Amino acid sequence: MAETADKTAFRILVAGFGSVSHVQPRDLPNPAFEIIKRLPSTLSPTNTSHTQPNLEIVTHPDPLPSSYHGLLHTVPALVRDNIEAVDLVLLIGVAVGQEYYSVEQSARRDGYHEVPDLDRRTLAKGEGVEIWGRKSRESLATSVDLAAVVEAWHEELAGVQYDQGKGKKVGSKNGEGPGRARQQLPPEVRHTDDVGSYVCGLVYYATLAELVRITEERTTAEATPGKKNVEGRAVFLHVPLLLGEEQLEMGYGVVMALIKALGMVDSNAAR
């Protein structure tokens, strides 16, 4: 665990994208970064589990650029400047057309030549090898047990009521007349392996690749006491395109529940 004032705390760095391209105007706030701006710096354990550690949240103050080359410039410094002080990196992006929240297993080095970014640029075929080297892996995955995380995530969300029907009744107009009340259900959360070949995929791969590079540097250099293994210590979260204050508040609650689940699983794995 990272060395902090609270030796038992789980510290997580959270970063997310700014503008949403290809779908909405550039000035539309990205729900990923809107949620990040609302996160607290500390979070005490809930009553859900006595094994949950205290949580410390470090939010990256600037939105990640929705451009391939911008990310290649930003990510290495972002990782290296923070990895000694945190236990995990959580990256958040929006998945337009997706109605559920998903934590992604892996990302690929190549394939970013088809969809132009916000600057209307792509990465050429083979550019990934030039960037990360011939020995770089075609795919990199998180080392976090995401199946266990989603299970804990479900448990965290189960104790919260979500009025997805906004008080209206199913089968009636404006909630009037015959019909039954909509069931209050928590948002759907999943463990998937579909981060894509756009900026979400690139930022995930670039982050995991930098963590691999740091780990390799440590294994070839003289052993330094207290240096932890950081390979795979990142997770990517896709959120839906949340619009309006009500949806953003729900998204905030879902992300908070995920952070608690990540801390819980990490704490149990360290035992």
Side-chain angles (χ1 to χ4, degrees):
M1 303 290 287
E3 290 197 6
T4 64
D6 181 355
K7 298 292 197 254
T8 64
F10 174 79
R11 296 197 83 203
I12 184 168
L13 170 68
V14 188
F17 284 100
S19 299
V20 180
S21 63
H22 299 303
V23 218
Q24 299 285 343
R26 288 188 180 212
D27 58 353
L28 176 76
N30 189 311
F33 195 68
E34 289 301 304
I35 290 171
I36 289 172
K37 291 192 298 186
R38 300 169 186 231
L39 294 175
S41 59
T42 59
L43 188 62
S44 299
T46 64
N47 295 327
T48 304
S49 173
H50 64 279
T51 63
Q52 190 181 91
N54 290 321
L55 298 165
E56 296 180 6
I57 303 172
V58 180
T59 55
H60 186 53
D62 302 313
L64 297 172
S66 295
S67 67
Y68 300 123
H69 294 88
L71 289 171
L72 293 175
H73 175 74
T74 302
V75 169
L78 173 65
V79 174
R80 288 183 178 267
D81 289 349
N82 291 280
I83 197 59
E84 288 303 321
V86 300
D87 299 290
L88 189 71
V89 179
L90 175 62
L91 306 161
I92 307 178
V94 64
V96 177
Q98 176 176 300
E99 296 184 356
Y100 54 87
Y101 299 76
S102 56
V103 282
E104 306 292 352
Q105 183 68 30
S106 67
R108 298 189 64 80
R109 179 190 64 199
D110 307 310
Y112 304 100
H113 60 279
E114 295 183 348
V115 182
D117 61 20
L118 199 62
D119 296 328
R120 309 306 299 172
R121 299 178 67 187
T122 63
L123 293 184
K125 284 186 177 181
E127 194 168 348
V129 174
E130 296 179 11
I131 296 167
W132 290 290
R134 294 188 178 278
K135 293 185 179 180
S136 59
R137 292 172 243 174
E138 292 184 4
S139 178
L140 291 172
T142 180
S143 61
V144 178
D145 185 351
L146 293 184
V149 167
V150 170
E151 183 178 349
W153 198 7
H154 277 293
E155 292 176 1
E156 288 292 334
L157 290 171
V160 183
Q161 292 295 317
Y162 296 90
D163 186 3
Q164 296 181 337
K166 299 182 181 179
K168 298 180 182 180
K169 294 183 178 181
V170 174
S172 62
K173 182 178 180 180
N174 298 323
E176 299 175 357
R180 59 183 178 81
R182 288 186 179 181
Q183 186 179 10
Q184 292 182 334
L185 297 173
E188 183 178 1
V189 298
R190 300 182 187 178
H191 167 206
T192 59
D193 197 7
D194 188 23
V195 73
S197 54
Y198 186 47
V199 289
C200 292
L202 184 68
V203 74
Y204 200 16
Y205 185 90
T207 300
L208 292 168
E210 195 63 29
L211 293 173
V212 168
R213 188 173 289 171
I214 292 170
T215 301
E216 290 176 345
E217 290 171 359
R218 292 177 176 178
T219 58
T220 56
E222 184 177 347
T224 304
K227 297 291 185 180
K228 56 187 183 295
N229 183 356
V230 297
E231 184 169 339
R233 300 297 294 164
V235 171
F236 190 93
L237 166 67
H238 265 137
V239 302
L241 182 60
L242 307 170
L243 302 174
E245 185 64 24
E246 189 171 325
Q247 291 187 8
L248 283 171
E249 276 300 308
M250 176 181 288
Y252 168 81
V254 174
V255 172
M256 288 286 284
L258 173 61
I259 292 173
K260 293 177 185 178
L262 288 166
M264 190 186 312
V265 170
D266 187 83
S267 176
N268 291 338
R271 294 186 170 197

